[in-house]
Amino acid sequence: MTGYDECASLIEKKKIPFIERLRHAVEIKSVSNDPAARKEVCRMIDWTQKELEKLGTKCEQIKNGKQKLQNGEEIDLPPVLFGTLGNDKSKKTLLVYGHLDVQPADKSDGWNTDPFKLIEIDGKLYGRGSTDDKGPVMAWINAIEVMQELKMDIPINIKFVLEGMEESGSEGLDEILMKHKDSFLSDVDFTCISDNYWLGKTKPCITYGLRGICYYCVEVKVCKQDLHSGVFGGTVHDGMSDLCWILSQLTEVDGTIKINGLKEMVAPVTDEERALYEKIDFDINEYKNDIKVEKLTTEDKVKVLMNRWRFPSLSVHGVEGAFSGPGAKTVIPCKVKGKFSIRIVEGMEPEAVDKCVTDHLNNLWSQRKSPNHFSVHPLQGSLAWVADYNHPHYQAGAAAIRKVYGVEPDYTREGCSIPVTLTFQELTQKNVMLLPIGACDDMAHSQNEKINVSNYIEGTKVLAAYLMELGKL
Amino acid sequence: MTGYDECASLIEKKKIPFIERLRHAVEIKSVSNDPAARKEVCRMIDWTQKELEKLGTKCEQIKNGKQKLQNGEEIDLPPVLFGTLGNDKSKKTLLVYGHLDVQPADKSDGWNTDPFKLIEIDGKLYGRGSTDDKGPVMAWINAIEVMQELKMDIPINIKFVLEGMEESGSEGLDEILMKHKDSFLSDVDFTCISDNYWLGKTKPCITYGLRGICYYCVEVKVCKQDLHSGVFGGTVHDGMSDLCWILSQLTEVDGTIKINGLKEMVAPVTDEERALYEKIDFDINEYKNDIKVEKLTTEDKVKVLMNRWRFPSLSVHGVEGAFSGPGAKTVIPCKVKGKFSIRIVEGMEPEAVDKCVTDHLNNLWSQRKSPNHFSVHPLQGSLAWVADYNHPHYQAGAAAIRKVYGVEPDYTREGCSIPVTLTFQELTQKNVMLLPIGACDDMAHSQNEKINVSNYIEGTKVLAAYLMELGKL
């Protein structure tokens, strides 16, 4: 009987066509936060549907709602792609989630190569979406294709949910999934998501927790239109100064959040939890060296990991409406919008966080005594997620990793948010697992995003092995 | 003998071709701060040269140096256009300065019309450069064209200096002018510059003072590339928080500058000066209503005018390197650059201001105790300028205004910087006058820049009348 070894061997042989598949995916500029690129997101979904249909997957594009743009215009959200491969009542059903959209990228941001071409350099495949999340989605297609070519039985029914708005808050997805709770989702036994990364560069892991996120826009409005700083400077109240002051009052220098009421919400760390963190293979110096940072907010391994996964953090992302180009423009911006977000953890409800943040900001503003106009806009909020990593589903994932890599995976969390994880857990009431394929230095969301050829190919093997293991449950 | 009245009458008759001339100028996208638009700046210079040559002006394009871009690349600066019309040793010589480049503009910034089309609505000509400074340059060409058509004697030799980098610090211009101090500039008797605006919307003025400017870039560097705030948030020191804190420590809420040593530099206001300000026709409520600001930093007429012209002001313009688009991007920017500038007045030397600012910022940074990397970069500096408005040259300007508008002009200053004003005064050692044509609500540097048709046409008459008056000196 054909088994894992034949499968792994064929995956190795098909390395080139598998890279070509990813190349095709990366070349589609499916940037979800750019309304002008919406057609490319849809084209990416169409193309993926065709790839899935070649495997025999029955696909359906579920129409999504409208997106209201800042200028008031409304455009269609991209559809969500549902796929069903296998409908054997004697088998259990796995739900696979992935996303086909990407973060914005432009060579001028500091990329060494064209972000929308897949370029192989030293065993690394550079390109926007290579690791987040086109690579992992292609690995699923690769794994199934190989098992089918070898005429192996896939011991589980597979359902796919692939979306095109993940990098923009998965707009519309929850509503669609809720509507399909008692139909498409009703027979799901496990959910597997490959949309995160190993903790390090060499050791695989399985992920059982995620932080949530609350994202805010703080607006300061000075006047009706931008003013020349020479002509008007000195007579109007500077909006950027107001905004900078507000944004500077959110954290201490070391990142400690100064917003009243948030700390009290955080679930206390148990001794058992702390012991788990102490076992994790994580090198602070390597972490620092990778991002070229000399000093972290803490230099203790457990604290660094907990700051990434277990405690809230606040980041100021930027300012919309002010001068943002190179050189020297002498403008007083009429309206500036500061953007920041808080990564939230278990115990923190987005609504309660929104209230604390809004109260804090309004209180700050009343202290500021500026006659400019101020408003706070929560843009999105999603809960943190934690699963039981002792569940048999996690053990199937761990067995697959042992088969491919010969090591026991670390059990990790992620500091970022994949809101759909929680949705799947709530709607299916079944175990959800994150099975990362890429490495920690893949630089998702950043310049020079990449996936290692080895991670892409071994990851394809892990997914095949995992499908085989699921047959044993 | 043909006189002012015939001239004014022909100017009225030629309104349509004069507007067409300005339309052609506005359609050339001569944005000087965009290296990609450099060719358009040169095209604007070429086109203006041809217009001047039609009047019999002898033109020469003076080669400028190289501009070093932020990416290290070097590109040619646009040439400076010198023109000579008349070379009669018995006549005095007037130098006319103007600039042919414009500020950036994009419809998406909030323009109601395409910024690079001249659109007439309700007697207003909208378009980038309509008032700053293409309209005034075209008015000079119009005035001379009309006097020539009427075969009138132009009682003064005219020299032109027209540049293409004014909106980007007039890079290279000073060097070129210095080189021509003893040749092209040696016989100049007066300099006239039309590159500013009336104080109000109805009463003309002549301008005898300008603030200078010191522009700064403050850089905070966190790490080698942008990071995902979910993956890294909580472990690195937030660079935007550092930058916002620094930028919030420059002024009080009411705009008072907190940088030690600057206040002491400002030349004291004399009683005579204060009396001059009290006479000026200026309506605070109209000013507030025009820009839709409810409360100014002061509500006293003299103080408002002095805050605009006579005292330094600080404006924070924006941040380069952070997220600046619409929507929600979860990035920790690796390197952010805050941009701010100080408008400086008589008594303040840019080098001394740079030292105070740099000391203040470095002192703030040492208090901040952040391990991120910090640096201050002064980007440009230019002195303030003040002239003697009792000079006969100013009286010629005033006489021209009386002829066209029937009123005595106000003697005003401007809060903005036109560094070349000072250069001309220093190199020619002769009187320099600013003779504004546009109105206060023309919104130079802003969305929906315009010049009133009436200002453009009456301004052409003022320039013609001024040329006639100069013959009497």
Side-chain angles (χ1 to χ4, degrees):
Chain A
M1 194 182 121
T2 315
Y4 170 73
D5 291 340
E6 289 82 354
C7 196
S9 163
L10 184 55
I11 289 169
E12 285 290 340
K13 278 190 202 129
K14 294 192 68 163
K15 191 190 277 189
I16 291 172
F18 289 167
I19 291 174
E20 288 309 302
R21 175 171 279 144
L22 181 54
R23 185 185 314 285
H24 195 108
V26 166
E27 285 181 3
I28 302 176
K29 297 183 182 180
S30 51
V31 176
S32 56
N33 92 349
D34 177 9
R38 187 56 44 86
K39 272 187 185 169
E40 288 299 280
V41 176
C42 294
R43 191 159 74 87
M44 181 67 203
I45 292 168
D46 291 342
W47 177 78
T48 308
Q49 174 171 344
K50 280 185 196 120
E51 291 292 293
L52 286 175
E53 283 171 347
K54 285 181 203 158
L55 306 175
T57 312
K58 280 182 190 150
C59 291
E60 188 184 359
Q61 290 194 10
I62 310 298
K63 198 171 148 41
N64 205 336
K66 296 272 181 190
Q67 183 182 20
K68 192 161 186 178
L69 305 182
Q70 295 223 334
N71 63 10
E73 205 186 321
E74 285 199 341
I75 62 168
D76 282 338
L77 286 164
V80 174
L81 183 59
F82 278 12
T84 306
L85 179 64
N87 189 22
D88 184 337
K89 298 290 176 205
S90 70
K91 291 177 179 174
K92 292 199 165 169
T93 298
L94 167 70
L95 182 80
V96 170
Y97 163 86
H99 67 89
L100 302 169
D101 61 315
V102 295
Q103 283 275 324
D106 195 274
K107 189 146 192 312
S108 69
D109 298 339
W111 282 71
N112 296 328
T113 57
D114 180 342
F116 293 102
K117 298 276 175 209
L118 193 75
I119 311 278
E120 182 172 346
I121 301 168
D122 291 339
K124 291 165 186 158
L125 299 165
Y126 291 91
R128 176 57 91 217
S130 56
T131 196
D132 180 18
D133 183 39
K134 291 176 174 178
V137 172
M138 297 309 118
W140 277 108
I141 296 172
N142 299 341
I144 295 164
E145 184 180 82
V146 160
M147 289 177 80
Q148 288 182 342
E149 275 185 37
L150 293 172
K151 305 206 184 307
M152 292 171 71
D153 175 55
I154 297 176
I156 192 151
N157 303 312
I158 305 177
K159 289 193 169 181
F160 293 94
V161 172
L162 302 175
E163 68 155 321
M165 285 298 285
E166 198 273 346
E167 301 294 3
S168 300
S170 291
E171 203 172 337
L173 180 65
D174 273 10
E175 291 74 4
I176 287 176
L177 293 178
M178 267 182 265
K179 273 190 200 154
H180 292 83
K181 179 177 186 290
D182 299 321
S183 49
F184 187 75
L185 297 178
S186 66
D187 57 355
V188 169
D189 295 289
F190 323 99
T191 297
C192 182
I193 300 176
S194 291
D195 188 21
N196 67 311
Y197 313 96
W198 292 353
L199 178 57
K201 286 180 244 176
T202 51
K203 191 172 179 195
C205 57
I206 300 184
T207 305
Y208 69 97
L210 291 168
R211 292 195 288 192
I213 185 172
C214 290
Y215 200 111
Y216 301 95
C217 173
V218 184
E219 182 180 305
V220 176
K221 193 178 170 202
V222 178
C223 53
K224 78 171 173 177
Q225 60 186 163
D226 289 354
L227 301 175
H228 187 306
S229 69
V231 181
F232 297 92
T235 62
V236 298
H237 293 79
D238 197 73
M240 271 299 285
S241 295
D242 285 344
L243 181 66
C244 285
W245 182 76
I246 289 280
L247 294 176
S248 75
Q249 299 300 310
L250 304 174
T251 51
E252 305 285 358
V253 179
D254 69 356
T256 306
I257 299 173
K258 289 163 79 175
I259 299 167
N260 287 337
L262 293 193
K263 199 170 59 183
E264 294 74 9
M265 295 179 189
V266 176
V269 176
T270 63
D271 290 345
E272 188 197 323
E273 231 182 322
R274 188 176 303 278
L276 182 69
Y277 277 82
E278 278 162 5
K279 276 194 295 189
I280 293 173
D281 183 21
F282 177 66
D283 182 336
I284 289 183
N285 288 325
E286 198 178 337
Y287 178 77
K288 283 158 67 170
N289 190 48
D290 282 342
I291 56 176
K292 295 277 178 293
V293 160
E294 282 157 35
K295 195 165 172 253
L296 299 176
T297 51
T298 167
E299 302 279 326
D300 172 83
K301 184 186 88 170
V302 169
K303 283 187 189 161
V304 170
L305 290 176
M306 288 200 177
N307 278 1
R308 293 179 72 182
W309 305 339
R310 190 54 180 81
F311 297 128
S313 67
L314 187 152
S315 301
V316 179
H317 305 298
V319 178
E320 180 186 348
F323 174 49
S324 62
K329 188 179 176 187
T330 52
V331 66
I332 299 175
C334 60
K335 188 166 75 174
V336 286
K337 295 176 180 179
K339 311 281 180 79
F340 72 92
S341 67
I342 302 173
R343 299 287 165 174
I344 62 171
V345 298
E346 57 258 50
M348 301 173 84
E349 297 277 342
E351 296 73 18
V353 173
D354 286 354
K355 186 172 182 325
C356 287
V357 169
T358 307
D359 287 352
H360 181 79
L361 291 169
N362 285 332
N363 182 38
L364 282 171
W365 186 251
S366 69
Q367 289 171 42
R368 179 72 178 170
K369 310 255 183 261
S370 163
N372 290 327
H373 293 269
F374 177 78
S375 55
V376 184
H377 308 273
L379 295 189
Q380 50 177 270
S382 65
L383 277 165
W385 164 80
V386 187
D388 171 18
Y389 63 89
N390 289 312
H391 190 281
H393 179 211
Y394 275 75
Q395 299 316 310
I401 285 171
R402 279 193 300 270
K403 200 152 242 173
V404 178
Y405 287 102
V407 293
E408 190 67 29
D410 274 333
Y411 291 90
T412 64
R413 296 191 184 201
E414 280 279 353
C416 61
S417 160
I418 310 171
V420 78
T421 311
L422 205 70
T423 307
F424 285 125
Q425 185 166 298
E426 282 171 0
L427 294 181
T428 65
Q429 295 288 318
K430 298 287 166 64
N431 186 274
V432 179
M433 178 176 75
L434 301 188
L435 190 60
I437 286 176
C440 72
D441 61 347
D442 281 359
M443 305 316 290
H445 290 214
S446 180
Q447 299 92 337
N448 303 317
E449 179 182 342
K450 58 91 181 162
I451 192 167
N452 298 329
V453 174
S454 59
N455 283 61
Y456 181 52
I457 296 304
E458 302 304 293
T460 296
K461 292 181 197 170
V462 167
L463 297 182
Y466 163 67
L467 288 176
M468 295 176 215
E469 289 293 331
L470 286 179
K472 300 178 189 168
L473 297 189
Chain B
M1 195 183 120
T2 316
Y4 170 73
D5 291 340
E6 290 82 353
C7 195
S9 163
L10 185 55
I11 288 168
E12 284 292 338
K13 279 190 203 127
K14 295 192 67 165
K15 192 190 277 188
I16 291 171
F18 290 167
I19 291 174
E20 287 310 301
R21 175 171 280 143
L22 181 56
R23 185 185 314 284
H24 194 107
V26 166
E27 285 180 3
I28 301 175
K29 297 183 183 180
S30 51
V31 177
S32 55
N33 93 348
D34 177 9
R38 187 56 45 88
K39 272 187 184 168
E40 288 299 280
V41 176
C42 294
R43 192 158 75 84
M44 181 67 204
I45 292 168
D46 290 342
W47 176 79
T48 308
Q49 174 171 344
K50 279 184 198 124
E51 292 291 293
L52 287 175
E53 283 170 347
K54 284 181 205 160
L55 305 175
T57 312
K58 282 183 187 148
C59 291
E60 189 185 357
Q61 290 194 11
I62 311 297
K63 199 170 148 41
N64 205 337
K66 296 272 181 191
Q67 182 181 20
K68 193 162 187 178
L69 305 182
Q70 294 221 335
N71 64 8
E73 205 188 321
E74 285 198 341
I75 62 168
D76 282 337
L77 286 164
V80 174
L81 182 59
F82 278 12
T84 306
L85 179 64
N87 188 22
D88 184 337
K89 297 290 175 205
S90 71
K91 292 178 179 174
K92 294 200 164 167
T93 297
L94 167 70
L95 181 80
V96 170
Y97 163 86
H99 67 89
L100 302 170
D101 61 315
V102 295
Q103 284 274 324
D106 195 273
K107 189 144 193 312
S108 68
D109 297 342
W111 283 71
N112 295 329
T113 58
D114 181 341
F116 293 102
K117 298 277 175 206
L118 193 75
I119 311 278
E120 183 173 346
I121 302 168
D122 290 339
K124 291 165 185 158
L125 299 164
Y126 291 91
R128 176 57 91 217
S130 56
T131 197
D132 180 19
D133 184 39
K134 291 176 175 178
V137 173
M138 297 308 119
W140 278 109
I141 296 173
N142 299 341
I144 296 165
E145 184 180 82
V146 161
M147 290 177 80
Q148 288 181 342
E149 276 185 36
L150 293 171
K151 304 203 183 311
M152 291 170 70
D153 175 55
I154 296 176
I156 193 152
N157 302 314
I158 304 176
K159 289 193 168 180
F160 293 93
V161 172
L162 302 175
E163 67 155 321
M165 285 298 285
E166 198 272 346
E167 302 295 3
S168 300
S170 291
E171 202 172 338
L173 180 65
D174 273 10
E175 291 75 4
I176 287 176
L177 293 177
M178 268 182 266
K179 273 189 200 155
H180 292 81
K181 178 177 186 292
D182 299 322
S183 50
F184 187 75
L185 296 178
S186 65
D187 58 355
V188 169
D189 295 289
F190 323 98
T191 297
C192 182
I193 300 175
S194 292
D195 188 22
N196 68 311
Y197 313 96
W198 292 353
L199 178 56
K201 286 180 244 177
T202 52
K203 191 171 179 194
C205 57
I206 300 184
T207 305
Y208 69 97
L210 291 169
R211 292 195 289 193
I213 186 171
C214 289
Y215 201 111
Y216 301 94
C217 174
V218 184
E219 182 180 304
V220 176
K221 193 179 171 203
V222 179
C223 53
K224 80 171 171 175
Q225 60 185 165
D226 288 353
L227 301 175
H228 187 307
S229 69
V231 181
F232 297 93
T235 62
V236 298
H237 293 79
D238 197 71
M240 270 298 283
S241 295
D242 284 345
L243 181 66
C244 286
W245 182 77
I246 289 280
L247 294 175
S248 74
Q249 299 299 309
L250 305 173
T251 50
E252 305 285 357
V253 179
D254 70 356
T256 306
I257 299 172
K258 290 163 79 175
I259 299 167
N260 287 338
L262 294 193
K263 200 170 60 183
E264 293 74 8
M265 294 179 188
V266 177
V269 176
T270 63
D271 290 344
E272 188 197 324
E273 229 182 325
R274 190 174 303 277
L276 182 69
Y277 278 81
E278 278 162 7
K279 276 195 294 188
I280 293 173
D281 182 21
F282 177 66
D283 182 335
I284 289 182
N285 288 325
E286 197 178 337
Y287 178 77
K288 283 159 68 170
N289 189 48
D290 282 343
I291 56 176
K292 294 276 178 293
V293 160
E294 282 156 35
K295 196 165 172 252
L296 300 175
T297 52
T298 167
E299 301 279 324
D300 173 84
K301 183 186 89 171
V302 169
K303 282 187 189 159
V304 170
L305 290 176
M306 288 199 176
N307 277 1
R308 293 179 72 182
W309 304 340
R310 189 56 180 78
F311 297 128
S313 67
L314 188 151
S315 301
V316 179
H317 306 298
V319 177
E320 180 186 346
F323 173 50
S324 62
K329 189 178 176 188
T330 52
V331 64
I332 299 175
C334 60
K335 188 165 76 173
V336 286
K337 296 175 180 180
K339 310 281 180 78
F340 72 93
S341 69
I342 302 174
R343 299 286 165 174
I344 62 171
V345 297
E346 56 258 51
M348 301 174 83
E349 297 276 342
E351 296 73 17
V353 173
D354 286 355
K355 185 172 183 322
C356 287
V357 170
T358 307
D359 287 353
H360 180 80
L361 291 169
N362 285 333
N363 182 37
L364 282 172
W365 186 251
S366 70
Q367 288 170 41
R368 179 73 179 169
K369 311 259 183 256
S370 163
N372 289 328
H373 294 269
F374 178 78
S375 55
V376 184
H377 308 272
L379 295 188
Q380 51 176 271
S382 65
L383 277 166
W385 163 79
V386 188
D388 171 18
Y389 63 88
N390 289 312
H391 191 280
H393 179 211
Y394 275 74
Q395 300 316 311
I401 285 171
R402 278 194 301 271
K403 200 152 244 172
V404 178
Y405 287 101
V407 294
E408 190 67 27
D410 274 333
Y411 291 91
T412 64
R413 298 190 183 200
E414 281 280 352
C416 62
S417 160
I418 310 171
V420 78
T421 309
L422 206 70
T423 307
F424 285 125
Q425 185 166 300
E426 282 171 359
L427 295 180
T428 66
Q429 295 286 318
K430 297 287 167 65
N431 186 272
V432 178
M433 178 175 74
L434 301 189
L435 190 59
I437 286 177
C440 73
D441 60 346
D442 281 0
M443 306 316 289
H445 290 215
S446 181
Q447 299 93 335
N448 303 318
E449 179 182 342
K450 59 90 182 163
I451 191 167
N452 298 330
V453 174
S454 59
N455 283 63
Y456 180 51
I457 297 304
E458 303 305 292
T460 296
K461 292 180 197 169
V462 168
L463 297 182
Y466 163 68
L467 289 176
M468 294 176 215
E469 290 293 330
L470 287 178
K472 300 177 188 167
L473 298 188

